[in-house]
Every structure is written in C-alpha cells, then in structure tokens.
Amino acid sequence: APEPENIVISTLGGFRRGEMTIFSGRTGTGKTTFLSEYSLDLCMQGVNTLWCSFEVKNTRLLRGMLKQYSLVNLEERVDEFNNIADKFTLLPLYLTDFHGSQEPE
C-alpha cells in the first residue's frame, strides 16, 4: 500500500504550511485511520499536529493512534506498553477539547 504522504501529495497536491485542511466523509470510509497514520508520520518528523474531531472522543482517538504507533499488539505484549506509551507522549500531538487544546497524558 502507498505511504499516506504519497497519497496526500498525489491526490491533493500536498499540504501548504499555515493552511488548515479539513477531511470529511461518510462514517466508515477510513478518514480517522488514514489521518491517524498520516499525523503520526508527521509527528515522528517533529511536525506539530492538531486534532479536532466532532465525532470521535479523544480517548478513542489516542487508543487507536497508540495502537498504530506501537506496531505491535499491545494486548499480547503488555510488557512493552509503558515504554511505547512514554515515547508516544513525547510526540508533538495535540487534541482539542473544543475549549482549547490538550496534550496526551
């Protein structure tokens, strides 16, 4: 499968600094999965990423992103959870609570 960044560049022409991009679509079309993967990739490059979701709760977003970030089944490899979670919290990833922003805890 193509990397998320390549899909964005080929489909949208990429992102421009200082612009806001909004993704919308029907439930179940993969928006959250795609954007989670893409924002994790950006975060690992040191790019600040802000999430605003009117549908998915922050705890659910973070649970899914941690699962994607870990690249392992954390339910089977519980012993690795703390190490992976500590690294995850260092990412420049921010979530709105609709009254401001918050860092993952």
Side-chain angles (χ1 to χ4, degrees):
E3 292 293 318
E5 185 173 340
N6 295 333
I7 294 169
V8 171
I9 291 170
S10 65
T11 305
L12 305 176
F15 292 114
R16 291 188 289 236
R17 185 173 289 283
E19 288 188 353
M20 177 179 11
T21 303
I22 299 172
F23 281 77
S24 65
R26 297 173 83 91
T27 301
T29 57
K31 301 175 300 294
T32 303
T33 302
F34 169 75
L35 290 171
S36 293
E37 189 65 38
Y38 188 59
S39 55
L40 285 171
D41 183 54
L42 291 172
C43 286
M44 289 187 280
Q45 296 176 50
V47 176
N48 291 329
T49 304
L50 174 67
W51 272 82
C52 304
S53 177
F54 297 98
E55 187 176 311
V56 182
K57 293 187 180 203
N58 289 347
T59 52
R60 184 170 165 211
L61 282 171
L62 290 171
R63 191 178 309 117
M65 292 178 90
L66 180 60
K67 186 176 181 180
Q68 287 175 302
Y69 177 76
S70 71
L71 300 176
V72 297
N73 184 339
L74 291 172
E75 293 175 13
E76 293 178 0
R77 301 185 48 193
V78 177
D79 57 314
E80 296 182 46
F81 179 82
N82 286 337
N83 184 39
I84 293 168
D86 288 345
K87 291 177 183 175
F88 182 75
T89 61
L90 298 175
L91 296 174
L93 173 65
Y94 304 91
L95 302 140
T96 60
D97 59 6
F98 306 114
H99 302 290
S101 65
Q102 59 190 24
E103 291 187 38
E105 295 179 11

